[in-house]
Every structure is written in structure tokens, then in C-alpha cells.
Amino acid sequence: MDTGIIKKENIKGVIESLMQMGKVVAPTRQDDMTVFSALPSSEALDLNYTNSKLSPKDYFFPQTEVLFCYEKENNQIHPPLIEDKPACLVGVRPCDAKAITLLDCIFNDPQYKDVYYLNKRKNTVVIGLACTNPQSTCFCTSTGGGPLDTTGMDMLWQDLGDRYLIKAVTPQGKELASKLFGIDKAPEKDLSYAKKQGEKVLSMIPPAFEAEKISEKLRSSFEDSVWETIHEKCLGCAACTFVCPTCHCFDIQDENSRDRGRRVKLWDSCMFPLFTLHTSGHNPRLSGKERMRQRIMHKFNYFKVNNGHVACVGCGRCIRECPVNMDIRQIVSAFS
Amino acid sequence: MENPYLPKNVKIEKIIDETAGKDIKSFVLSFLNPQDCEAFSYHPGQFAEISIAGAGEIPIGIASSPSEGVEVKFTVKKMGVVTKDLHNSSAGRIIGLRGPYGNGFPMEELKGKNIVIVGGGFAFTTLRSLAVYLMDDSRRKDYGDITIICGARTPGDLIYRQEVETWASQPDLKVQVTVDKGNADWSGREGFIPPVVKEVAPSADNAIALVCGPPIMIKLTIPILFDLGFAPNKILNSLEMRMKCGFGKCGRCNIGNKYVCKDGPVFTFEELQKLPQEY
Ligand SMILES: Cc1cc2nc3c(=O)[nH]c(=O)nc-3n(C[C@H](O)[C@H](O)[C@H](O)COP(=O)(O)OP(=O)(O)OC[C@H]3O[C@@H](n4cnc5c(N)ncnc54)[C@H](O)[C@@H]3O)c2cc1C
Ligand code: SF4
Ligand code: SF4
Ligand code: FES
């Protein structure tokens, strides 16, 4: 079945059967924030949210992840059990689902596979949730997305008020749909209502810039004088990169306790001066100017050249969380 | 699926003091597990991550040549946490190694060419790997003239000094060694590398130049090579950036859209001209 309906009164049952198949990671309310976490029970699910504070990338690429434990003596390494149990991510907004496909470009490149990421990724079904209530900071339509975009999803759910319209996207999504829900067939009027709703939401997110054009313009803008001033307000706190669903830079550190310890992989940021500091003292990105330029150039030019898509999905988190109101839309628009 | 983050254990077989100041040492390593040894198949110009549980990991160019056998050599300058820990080792210690990484020198392209090697200071390590590889009896005939110009600040700073002196006596090599400032027991050349390159004036005909060293040496040597007729795509350079993963994931070693760990560390000067000047 490709499309179907779940009535909201049945959603708990659906989540419970998903939980029987494996871990379900979904939006929950915690301290006034919506965050993705493993559901302890179907009650904890909260699908009435605009978007989560942090993106669900943390599930595949945790903020800190143990690569292995060791004993210093004789360099004894104890590889971890790498999680590969089936799981389901539920309620992922289209921008964040698309971001997962961009992380795939890095962690699943043909030459080197990040097994920690991939073992979870290949055993996880992604169920998306169409966007019905975009925020003023959303700009997915400027970066090739949209409220009904299914990139990165196995299945899309769309909130039609008292019911969800279900659309299976991939073979895995179809299989799940047939296994799971005694889904009612979607009536024609629901399909046409869903389409109209999508169009309405789309019209609420007018494109802020043309990513293609900006990407091309940036190619020859490394020395542009815009960089001299555009970073001036920035504090270098790196909040923008930590909340970003596509940022994937990390550090590797050893955490010791006496004669043993663990090597961890942890989020890092190009907005920090230490990121590129050589031991000799040389630093190719000395000031905020070079670091802001790296962040923007990487997202809108380098990543595009290497992987065919800009590394921004327009989720707007960096705009919402920046303590000094830096707006990435304005920054890139300086190059339009 | 192979886990690329896991180091393989190696034993430090031998530690060699390379300089008078004792701040640069070579470490000769052998794999504990024969399968790891076999999987570590490398060519000159590549690097590896040396890993010490509890201290961390560092990218270091491979100084040995695969033609020398199964032991792998690295020449390391004492700098910070990991390099100091390594320098405090004694032979027999078990540490970790993962790699090899990077593109290395374009060995196919070097075939049939005259080779000009210019190395300053301890950046000479991977060039040593290359020189030994080219001079291997089974391969020497595949290459034309080989010219090696190397140097250091003082005679005490010259790494691989004895070995380079034996090269100098080989008839099929042109070797020039120079120091910025000599001392009582130095009878060789004195002076910076760039003027020596100018004086030796290796022909650019069917030739490739490989240049590694401190940024200032590279900056001054390149125009001399241009004057000698070397095209930008016939001059190769090995770069350093701060690194963590070594295989294009952690995102810290990029220059423009290129990752130095994965797309480099060896680039032609022509490639570098097209990249942002941010290294
Ligand atoms: C491709 C390549 C080849 C190299 N080859 C050699 C060599 O043959 N011999 C040699 O002595 N040195 C070499 N280096 C430099 C060497 O990696 C650094 O000196 C070393 O990482 C310093 O680590 P530390 O722990 O002593 O210093 P700390 O400052 O304590 O370093 C902390 C961490 O920062 C990172 N880091 C700091 N400086 C550098 C740097 N310049 N390059 C890369 N990572 C850095 C490392 O991840 C290190 O673990 C090479 C670097 C690269 C990129
Ligand atoms: S750069 Fe900002 S808007 Fe774009 S994906 Fe990252 S957090 Fe979202
Ligand atoms: S969140 Fe704002 S202030 Fe902080 S690093 Fe990003 S742009 Fe700069
Ligand atoms: S060292 Fe991690 S990307 Fe190059």
C-alpha cells in the first residue's frame, strides 16, 4: 500500500506495534523543549511541535560516542559493541530527514565507512512528519526542500487534523505500512485536502535566496571584502554548528581514568579557533573572519562541489539559537 | 564492515636519535599481527595515524619505503602531548597504528621521468621514503636522473645524515646537502636551499620536482623551479593541516573543497594555485 490513513485515536496502538519491532526514537517534551529520545512508552510521544530544539542527527551521530575502551598498558584496545538493532525514527521534519542524506555523503563515502553511524543508519526506518506550521526562520524552499519533501524518509505522515495521511516512500516504508497498520484506505477527499494543505504551507515559506546561484557566486568570492565585516557580531560560540542537522565535524579525544580510559568521538566546530591550530602555533584560520567564511563556504560551495547539494536544509535553527541574531539568510544573500 | 577508527597494535623495534638536539627520533615499528601487516600496504608519500592509548593520535608521514621490508619507520619531532609521550618510549613498547592514508606521490606518473627531490628540515621524511623506493635495484631502471637536494639549519639538524652521505657517493644519483650555518666538523655546503637549487639547476626536461619543507623554503624555491622551466603541474608539494580522523570525516583539514588527509597530502602546485590560500 502506498497511501493510507491513521486516525489519531489509533496512533498509540501504531507506536506500540512499532515499539515491539525495536527502539522508537521520536519527539518528546522535556523541560519545555521538544527533543528526540527513545520512547519509554507510547504516551511520551508528542507530535504537536514546530520543530525540535536539536535535530535527530544525534541518533546516528551522537554528541559524544565511545569509539573504544582501552588499557594504557600494552595499548590494549577493547572494541565496543556497535549498536545495530532495528530502530525507527518517528516524526522527523522534512528538513531534518533530508539532512540525514547529507550526513550519509560523509559517513558512507565509498572509500571509508563510519561503522558507528552506518550500523544504526542501515537498521533504522525514518518516518517523516510533513510540515504544517512553518516558523518565520524556516527557509527549506531556498535550499531545495519543502513541507512535503520526502527525501531521506521511508514514510511520510501528514497531519490532517483528526488523522494522519500515510505515504510510503521506499520499499522498506511499504513493507512497514503493510505489516503495521490496519491502515484504512485514504479516501480521495483526504488526498486532495492534503495536497491543498501542502500548497498552502509551501506558500508560507517564500524562497529567501537561490542556493544554486549563491553557490556559484561563492566559488569566486573567497577574497571578497564582504567577509571582512560580516562576521563582526559573531561571538564564536559555535551554537549555530551544534544545532545544525548537517554539521558533521568532530574531534577525537582520550578520556583517562588512571590506567584505563576511552577514546571518544565528539562534536566539534569550525567556529572555534582551536579547530585548526597546529602544535607549532600556526593557524590557517586565525580570526572570526576566516572561520565564518569556512562555515558558509563549506555549506554553500565546498559541500555542493563535492556532493551535489548545499549542506544547509533551511531548518532555521542556527538563526533561532544565535545569541547575537546572526541570520544565515542575510549572510548568503550578500552573495546573490 | 571494517572499523576504520581502530588502531592495530605494533611494537617499537628500534628508536633512533636523528639530531644532535635529540628532539627528532625515528621509530621503527612492526605489526604484532601478520594480517594487519599485510593490510598495511603503502607507497611513498602516504601517512598514518600513530595512536597511544591515553595520549591520542597523530598523523605522521611514512619515512620507510615498502621496498625495505615489513617494518614501518616514522620520524617524529617532539612537539606536544602525543609526540612527547612517544619520545619517552623505549624499544619494546606496544603502541597503535592505523592507515595508510592519503594519496601519496603519484608513482605511476613518476615512471620514466627525471626526478628532482628538494627537502628542507625534517619534512624530508616522506621524500626519504620516495628516494629509497626509486633507488631499489628492481626499480631504478624505471626512472631517469635522480637529483636530491636537502638541507637543515645546522649539521646537527640533518636527519638521515649517514644514509644521505652514502647516497652522495653513488654514481647514479646527484646529491647536494646544505646547511644554513656550518660548524667545525662540517666541510660541506653552506647556504639556504633555494639558491642551491638555482645553482644545481636541474633540467626541467621530462622532469618532476617534489618539494617538502618549511613554508618559507617552499615559497622561495617555487619561483626558481619556474625559472628553470618546471610547469606548475610538474611541481609536487606535501601539505600539513591539523588532523584527527585521517580519512575525510572529521572535517578539520580542508583547504577549499579538498581534504588534505584524503585528497592530499600531495598536491601539484597547479592544484594549489586553484585552492584558497588558507593553509
Ligand atoms: C600528513 C601529515 C604528516 C606529518 N608528518 C610528520 C612527520 O613525519 N613527523 C613529525 O614529527 N610530524 C609530522 N606531522 C605533524 C604532526 O602530526 C604534529 O606535530 C603532531 O600532530 C603534534 O601532536 P602532539 O600531540 O605532539 O601535539 P599537541 O599540540 O598536543 O596535539 C594535539 C592534537 O592536535 C593535532 N595536531 C596538532 N598539530 C598538528 C599538525 N601540525 N598536523 C596535524 N595534526 C596536528 C593532533 O591530532 C594531536 O593529537 C605531520 C602532519 C601531517 C598532517
Ligand atoms: S545552516 Fe542553519 S538553517 Fe541551514 S541546516 Fe544548518 S542550522 Fe539549519
Ligand atoms: S551562534 Fe551566532 S554568535 Fe555563535 S558562532 Fe554561530 S553565528 Fe557566531
Ligand atoms: S583529518 Fe579528518 S577530515 Fe581530514
PDB file of all heavy atoms in Angstrom, chain B residues 242-253 259-262, ligand 4:
ATOM      1  N   ARG B 242      46.123  20.480  10.581  1.00  0.00           N
ATOM      2  CA  ARG B 242      45.747  19.740  11.775  1.00  0.00           C
ATOM      3  C   ARG B 242      44.751  18.656  11.379  1.00  0.00           C
ATOM      4  O   ARG B 242      43.850  18.895  10.585  1.00  0.00           O
ATOM      5  CB  ARG B 242      45.121  20.678  12.795  1.00  0.00           C
ATOM      6  CG  ARG B 242      44.827  19.966  14.082  1.00  0.00           C
ATOM      7  CD  ARG B 242      44.511  20.914  15.184  1.00  0.00           C
ATOM      8  NE  ARG B 242      44.092  20.151  16.340  1.00  0.00           N
ATOM      9  CZ  ARG B 242      44.199  20.588  17.578  1.00  0.00           C
ATOM     10  NH1 ARG B 242      44.687  21.775  17.812  1.00  0.00           N
ATOM     11  NH2 ARG B 242      43.798  19.837  18.578  1.00  0.00           N
ATOM     12  N   MET B 243      44.933  17.461  11.901  1.00  0.00           N
ATOM     13  CA  MET B 243      44.077  16.336  11.519  1.00  0.00           C
ATOM     14  C   MET B 243      43.594  15.569  12.733  1.00  0.00           C
ATOM     15  O   MET B 243      44.233  15.612  13.788  1.00  0.00           O
ATOM     16  CB  MET B 243      44.843  15.363  10.625  1.00  0.00           C
ATOM     17  CG  MET B 243      45.181  15.927   9.282  1.00  0.00           C
ATOM     18  SD  MET B 243      45.985  14.693   8.268  1.00  0.00           S
ATOM     19  CE  MET B 243      46.217  15.671   6.778  1.00  0.00           C
ATOM     20  N   LYS B 244      42.512  14.856  12.555  1.00  0.00           N
ATOM     21  CA  LYS B 244      42.039  13.928  13.584  1.00  0.00           C
ATOM     22  C   LYS B 244      41.824  12.556  12.962  1.00  0.00           C
ATOM     23  O   LYS B 244      42.522  11.618  13.267  1.00  0.00           O
ATOM     24  CB  LYS B 244      40.757  14.442  14.237  1.00  0.00           C
ATOM     25  CG  LYS B 244      41.011  15.533  15.246  1.00  0.00           C
ATOM     26  CD  LYS B 244      41.683  15.000  16.514  1.00  0.00           C
ATOM     27  CE  LYS B 244      42.192  16.143  17.371  1.00  0.00           C
ATOM     28  NZ  LYS B 244      42.764  15.694  18.624  1.00  0.00           N
ATOM     29  N   CYS B 245      40.796  12.440  12.095  1.00  0.00           N
ATOM     30  CA  CYS B 245      40.446  11.105  11.609  1.00  0.00           C
ATOM     31  C   CYS B 245      41.462  10.576  10.604  1.00  0.00           C
ATOM     32  O   CYS B 245      41.822   9.414  10.635  1.00  0.00           O
ATOM     33  CB  CYS B 245      39.048  11.113  11.010  1.00  0.00           C
ATOM     34  SG  CYS B 245      38.897  12.112   9.526  1.00  0.00           S
ATOM     35  N   GLY B 246      41.876  11.415   9.672  1.00  0.00           N
ATOM     36  CA  GLY B 246      42.794  10.969   8.629  1.00  0.00           C
ATOM     37  C   GLY B 246      42.109  10.401   7.405  1.00  0.00           C
ATOM     38  O   GLY B 246      42.775  10.010   6.444  1.00  0.00           O
ATOM     39  N   PHE B 247      40.771  10.319   7.414  1.00  0.00           N
ATOM     40  CA  PHE B 247      40.097   9.750   6.246  1.00  0.00           C
ATOM     41  C   PHE B 247      38.821  10.500   5.841  1.00  0.00           C
ATOM     42  O   PHE B 247      37.825   9.884   5.436  1.00  0.00           O
ATOM     43  CB  PHE B 247      39.840   8.243   6.408  1.00  0.00           C
ATOM     44  CG  PHE B 247      39.248   7.832   7.739  1.00  0.00           C
ATOM     45  CD1 PHE B 247      37.885   7.922   7.958  1.00  0.00           C
ATOM     46  CD2 PHE B 247      40.060   7.331   8.753  1.00  0.00           C
ATOM     47  CE1 PHE B 247      37.342   7.524   9.173  1.00  0.00           C
ATOM     48  CE2 PHE B 247      39.524   6.930   9.968  1.00  0.00           C
ATOM     49  CZ  PHE B 247      38.156   7.032  10.182  1.00  0.00           C
ATOM     50  N   GLY B 248      38.855  11.801   5.961  1.00  0.00           N
ATOM     51  CA  GLY B 248      37.790  12.607   5.356  1.00  0.00           C
ATOM     52  C   GLY B 248      36.476  12.667   6.097  1.00  0.00           C
ATOM     53  O   GLY B 248      35.430  12.882   5.477  1.00  0.00           O
ATOM     54  N   LYS B 249      36.475  12.485   7.413  1.00  0.00           N
ATOM     55  CA  LYS B 249      35.216  12.519   8.142  1.00  0.00           C
ATOM     56  C   LYS B 249      35.122  13.698   9.120  1.00  0.00           C
ATOM     57  O   LYS B 249      34.081  14.337   9.215  1.00  0.00           O
ATOM     58  CB  LYS B 249      35.035  11.237   8.968  1.00  0.00           C
ATOM     59  CG  LYS B 249      35.088   9.961   8.165  1.00  0.00           C
ATOM     60  CD  LYS B 249      33.708   9.535   7.725  1.00  0.00           C
ATOM     61  CE  LYS B 249      33.763   8.291   6.878  1.00  0.00           C
ATOM     62  NZ  LYS B 249      34.081   8.584   5.472  1.00  0.00           N
ATOM     63  N   CYS B 250      36.195  13.947   9.853  1.00  0.00           N
ATOM     64  CA  CYS B 250      36.111  14.889  10.969  1.00  0.00           C
ATOM     65  C   CYS B 250      36.061  16.339  10.521  1.00  0.00           C
ATOM     66  O   CYS B 250      35.761  17.231  11.311  1.00  0.00           O
ATOM     67  CB  CYS B 250      37.254  14.667  11.944  1.00  0.00           C
ATOM     68  SG  CYS B 250      38.835  15.304  11.362  1.00  0.00           S
ATOM     69  N   GLY B 251      36.352  16.591   9.241  1.00  0.00           N
ATOM     70  CA  GLY B 251      36.118  17.902   8.653  1.00  0.00           C
ATOM     71  C   GLY B 251      37.099  18.992   9.036  1.00  0.00           C
ATOM     72  O   GLY B 251      36.804  20.159   8.855  1.00  0.00           O
ATOM     73  N   ARG B 252      38.286  18.634   9.521  1.00  0.00           N
ATOM     74  CA  ARG B 252      39.115  19.731  10.013  1.00  0.00           C
ATOM     75  C   ARG B 252      40.280  20.075   9.111  1.00  0.00           C
ATOM     76  O   ARG B 252      40.932  21.089   9.330  1.00  0.00           O
ATOM     77  CB  ARG B 252      39.547  19.432  11.437  1.00  0.00           C
ATOM     78  CG  ARG B 252      40.921  18.991  11.712  1.00  0.00           C
ATOM     79  CD  ARG B 252      41.111  18.609  13.144  1.00  0.00           C
ATOM     80  NE  ARG B 252      39.900  18.154  13.778  1.00  0.00           N
ATOM     81  CZ  ARG B 252      39.382  18.689  14.880  1.00  0.00           C
ATOM     82  NH1 ARG B 252      39.967  19.687  15.455  1.00  0.00           N
ATOM     83  NH2 ARG B 252      38.278  18.201  15.395  1.00  0.00           N
ATOM     84  N   CYS B 253      40.571  19.279   8.111  1.00  0.00           N
ATOM     85  CA  CYS B 253      41.829  19.501   7.390  1.00  0.00           C
ATOM     86  C   CYS B 253      41.609  20.060   5.998  1.00  0.00           C
ATOM     87  O   CYS B 253      42.486  19.965   5.163  1.00  0.00           O
ATOM     88  CB  CYS B 253      42.580  18.176   7.288  1.00  0.00           C
ATOM     89  SG  CYS B 253      41.745  17.020   6.186  1.00  0.00           S
ATOM     90  N   TYR B 259      40.088  17.780   1.049  1.00  0.00           N
ATOM     91  CA  TYR B 259      40.564  17.343   2.352  1.00  0.00           C
ATOM     92  C   TYR B 259      42.022  16.926   2.206  1.00  0.00           C
ATOM     93  O   TYR B 259      42.337  16.054   1.397  1.00  0.00           O
ATOM     94  CB  TYR B 259      39.737  16.161   2.864  1.00  0.00           C
ATOM     95  CG  TYR B 259      38.346  16.556   3.307  1.00  0.00           C
ATOM     96  CD1 TYR B 259      37.222  16.149   2.616  1.00  0.00           C
ATOM     97  CD2 TYR B 259      38.181  17.370   4.415  1.00  0.00           C
ATOM     98  CE1 TYR B 259      35.943  16.534   3.021  1.00  0.00           C
ATOM     99  CE2 TYR B 259      36.919  17.763   4.828  1.00  0.00           C
ATOM    100  CZ  TYR B 259      35.806  17.337   4.132  1.00  0.00           C
ATOM    101  OH  TYR B 259      34.564  17.737   4.541  1.00  0.00           O
ATOM    102  N   VAL B 260      42.883  17.528   3.000  1.00  0.00           N
ATOM    103  CA  VAL B 260      44.305  17.223   2.871  1.00  0.00           C
ATOM    104  C   VAL B 260      44.561  15.749   3.211  1.00  0.00           C
ATOM    105  O   VAL B 260      45.393  15.096   2.609  1.00  0.00           O
ATOM    106  CB  VAL B 260      45.157  18.157   3.763  1.00  0.00           C
ATOM    107  CG1 VAL B 260      46.619  17.730   3.775  1.00  0.00           C
ATOM    108  CG2 VAL B 260      45.050  19.590   3.246  1.00  0.00           C
ATOM    109  N   CYS B 261      43.778  15.193   4.146  1.00  0.00           N
ATOM    110  CA  CYS B 261      44.010  13.798   4.541  1.00  0.00           C
ATOM    111  C   CYS B 261      43.652  12.816   3.436  1.00  0.00           C
ATOM    112  O   CYS B 261      44.287  11.788   3.299  1.00  0.00           O
ATOM    113  CB  CYS B 261      43.225  13.472   5.805  1.00  0.00           C
ATOM    114  SG  CYS B 261      41.436  13.539   5.609  1.00  0.00           S
ATOM    115  N   LYS B 262      42.613  13.129   2.673  1.00  0.00           N
ATOM    116  CA  LYS B 262      42.068  12.152   1.737  1.00  0.00           C
ATOM    117  C   LYS B 262      42.448  12.489   0.289  1.00  0.00           C
ATOM    118  O   LYS B 262      42.855  11.622  -0.468  1.00  0.00           O
ATOM    119  CB  LYS B 262      40.544  12.167   1.877  1.00  0.00           C
ATOM    120  CG  LYS B 262      39.900  10.871   1.524  1.00  0.00           C
ATOM    121  CD  LYS B 262      38.439  10.897   1.939  1.00  0.00           C
ATOM    122  CE  LYS B 262      37.635  10.758   0.719  1.00  0.00           C
ATOM    123  NZ  LYS B 262      36.358  11.177   0.565  1.00  0.00           N
TER     124      LYS B 262
HETATM  125  S1  FES C   4      41.664  14.634   9.175  1.00  0.00           S
HETATM  126 FE1  FES C   4      39.541  14.284   9.462  1.00  0.00          FE
HETATM  127  S2  FES C   4      38.765  15.094   7.583  1.00  0.00           S
HETATM  128 FE2  FES C   4      40.906  15.186   7.255  1.00  0.00          FE
END
